């Protein structure tokens, strides 16, 4: 199915109830508005939930944009929790916000509703403006370092996570439909004192690498199956890590035109500079709204010859503190972080030629 074309309604759509018609049309809008390839938002959400449904939610502590603290562990046995991971540039997120706010208005004392902004190409100012635009009253957390997205395996926006009063994850999904409403009702009915006893997932992560830090020896799998190292100290070459998304140029064209232009610049410069023997190049692609197949297709369309890594769990983005694409991290011949290049301020070609070449 072409993700830019809405699915053809079934012949008997006129016979459906008003609610069913609205649900069908909403589903069509999600397919049109979302940056998807062969997989849908629900596919990504199901993949994220496969290993998490029925397990105890991580004991994460979150700080809201207003400075308040939310402790998921402290809520166990007292309140169900509804987490929604979203971004201001995400069309399906915007479409679903009225539903989200209605849940907040009816939350009562047994449900905590938390909006978790991914911090991906979003600034605190954009998040606050979005809150004002949609009149959101639930607490909002900005996941600046990607830690929460990693703990909950976020692959799509929006991604819903419903946690029962017993601390158990009961639903992971993408659509604001009857399934999430049913999961919320079930989560609130869970026995208040029943807490599943199993080990918490680790919530602490090493700090992001900064300029001057040495990159630990790390090997990753590139498309095609070959293992590659992030740094190349043995051959005494600089390594240029280009963090990207295969959909950002096209999807951001309407919602983030400046970001779209930066993504296009990286694509063009990757294709033009990738064969340069002066540095070793490696592309690192975000798994948000993307699959390995999407990355392969992008590579072939863009004629990019450098090795590409699909960062399925977001570990590389978090390790280097990448919260927007494109971004380039240059490692020196000793495997030390030498420079970060932000396309908003720097031109990659000029930076390499003027300041980074031996």
């Amino acid at each position: 199915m072409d993700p830019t074309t809405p699915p053809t309604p079934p012949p008997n759509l006129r016979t459906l109830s008003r609610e069913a018609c609205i649900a069908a049309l909403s589903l069509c809008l999600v397919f049109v508005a979302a940056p998807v390839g062969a997989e849908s938002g629900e596919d990504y959400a199901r993949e994220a939930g496969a290993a998490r449904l029925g397990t105890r939610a991580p004991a994460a502590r979150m700080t809201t944009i207003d400075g308040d603290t939310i402790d998921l562990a402290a809520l166990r046995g007292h309140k169900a929790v509804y987490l929604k991971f979203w971004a201001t540039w995400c069309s399906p997120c915007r479409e679903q916000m009225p539903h989200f706010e209605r849940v907040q208005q009816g939350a009562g004392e047994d449900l905590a509703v938390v909006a978790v902004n991914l911090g991906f190409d979003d600034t605190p100012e954009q998040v606050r403006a979005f809150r004002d635009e949609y009149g959101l009253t639930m607490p909002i957390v900005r996941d600046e370092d990607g830690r929460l997205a990693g703990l909950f395996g976020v692959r799509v926006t929006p991604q819903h996570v419903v946690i029962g009063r017993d601390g158990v994850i009961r639903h992971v999904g993408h659509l604001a439909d009857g399934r999430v409403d049913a999961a919320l009702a079930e989560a609130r009915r869970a026995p208040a004192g029943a807490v599943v006893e199993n080990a918490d997932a680790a919530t602490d992560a090493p700090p992001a690498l900064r300029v001057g830090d040495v990159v630990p020896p790390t090997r990753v799998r590139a498309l095609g199956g070959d293992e590659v190292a992030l740094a190349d100290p043995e051959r005494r070459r600089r390594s240029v890590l280009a963090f990207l998304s295969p959909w950002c140029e096209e999807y951001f064209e309407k919602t983030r035109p400046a970001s779209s232009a930066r993504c296009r610049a990286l694509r063009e410069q990757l294709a033009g500079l990738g064969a340069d023997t002066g540095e070793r190049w490696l592309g690192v692609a975000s798994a948000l709204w993307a699959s390995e197949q999407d990355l392969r297709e992008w590579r072939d369309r863009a004629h990019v010859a450098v090795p590409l890594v699909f960062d399925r769990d977001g570990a590389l983005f978090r390790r280097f503190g990448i919260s927007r694409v494109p971004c380039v991290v240059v490692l020196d011949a000793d495997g030390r972080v030498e420079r970060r290049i932000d396309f908003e301020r720097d031109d990659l070609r000029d930076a390499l030629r003027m300041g980074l070449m031996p």
Side-chain angles (χ1 to χ4, degrees):
M1 181 184 72
D2 181 353
T4 64
T5 304
T8 303
N12 63 341
L13 184 60
R14 293 180 180 177
T15 65
L16 297 176
S17 67
R18 179 177 179 273
E19 290 76 11
C21 290
I22 292 174
L25 291 174
S26 298
L27 183 60
C28 294
L29 286 172
V30 168
F31 279 119
V32 174
V36 294
E39 296 183 76
S40 72
E42 273 297 292
D43 291 331
Y44 290 124
R46 278 195 295 270
E47 182 179 332
R52 291 171 174 81
L53 288 174
T55 67
R56 188 165 69 173
R61 290 172 62 89
M62 304 174 285
T63 302
T64 73
I65 60 176
D66 297 315
D68 298 322
T69 299
I70 300 172
D71 187 342
L72 291 185
L75 294 176
R76 292 175 186 160
H78 303 286
K79 290 188 177 186
V81 180
Y82 180 17
L83 303 177
K84 183 167 188 166
F85 292 86
W86 59 284
T88 69
W89 44 260
C90 161
S91 295
C93 299
R94 290 178 172 268
E95 293 162 7
Q96 292 185 20
M97 278 302 166
H99 170 274
F100 196 42
E101 178 60 24
R102 285 196 298 272
V103 174
Q104 163 66 9
Q105 294 297 327
E109 296 296 323
D110 61 351
L111 177 64
V113 179
V114 184
V116 184
N117 176 267
L118 288 182
F120 190 86
D121 208 81
D122 268 336
T123 65
E125 293 75 21
Q126 287 168 325
V127 173
R128 292 181 185 279
F130 187 95
R131 176 175 65 177
D132 294 342
E133 178 183 355
Y134 282 85
L136 302 179
T137 60
M138 75 284 295
I140 297 178
V141 171
R142 186 167 175 268
D143 189 21
E144 297 184 38
D145 57 5
R147 177 180 61 92
L148 296 172
L151 288 174
F152 289 94
V154 174
R155 292 291 311 280
V156 67
T157 54
Q159 183 164 308
H160 311 269
V161 178
V162 178
I163 305 168
R165 287 199 295 173
D166 53 3
V168 174
I169 297 176
R170 297 178 176 271
H171 176 78
V172 178
H174 169 63
L175 299 175
D177 56 11
R179 286 170 294 185
V180 70
D181 291 335
L184 286 167
E186 178 188 1
R188 299 169 83 161
R189 290 194 300 266
V195 177
V196 176
E197 294 300 333
N198 62 294
D200 279 310
T203 58
D204 293 329
L209 294 166
R210 301 185 181 278
V211 172
D213 291 343
V214 176
V215 177
T218 305
R219 300 187 67 84
V220 293
R221 185 177 63 84
L223 292 184
D226 294 336
E227 281 198 351
V228 294
L230 293 183
D232 193 19
E234 292 183 3
R235 299 183 61 181
R236 305 296 298 168
R237 289 191 301 172
R238 283 186 172 91
S239 293
V240 183
L241 309 182
F243 291 85
L244 58 93
S245 167
W247 52 260
C248 67
E249 180 180 347
E250 181 179 359
Y251 186 74
F252 278 163
E253 187 174 2
K254 293 182 178 180
T255 60
R256 286 280 196 278
S259 295
S260 175
R262 291 191 286 267
C263 292
R264 180 170 61 254
L266 176 62
R267 170 183 52 85
E268 293 171 347
Q269 293 182 357
L270 269 181
L273 296 175
D276 191 332
T277 57
E279 304 91 15
R280 171 182 171 271
W281 288 77
L282 182 66
V284 182
S286 168
L288 183 67
W289 271 117
S291 66
E292 287 195 33
Q293 182 59 32
D294 294 327
L295 183 58
R296 290 190 187 94
E297 293 174 359
W298 177 85
R299 174 197 62 189
D300 296 342
R301 289 194 307 270
H303 305 291
V304 171
V306 305
L308 297 175
V309 173
F310 183 65
D311 191 21
R312 178 175 294 276
D313 61 1
L316 293 177
F317 270 68
R318 291 191 298 276
R319 195 69 182 93
F320 286 91
I322 307 300
S323 60
R324 68 186 308 172
V325 290
C327 185
V328 169
V329 176
V330 181
L331 310 180
D332 66 17
D334 295 318
R336 193 181 304 272
V337 178
E338 182 175 295
R339 183 172 178 181
R340 292 171 64 102
I341 300 174
D342 185 338
F343 272 66
E344 188 172 14
R345 298 185 300 270
D346 305 309
D347 178 79
L348 177 59
R349 186 183 299 271
D350 290 343
L352 288 172
R353 292 292 175 256
M354 296 175 61
L356 299 176
M357 293 292 288

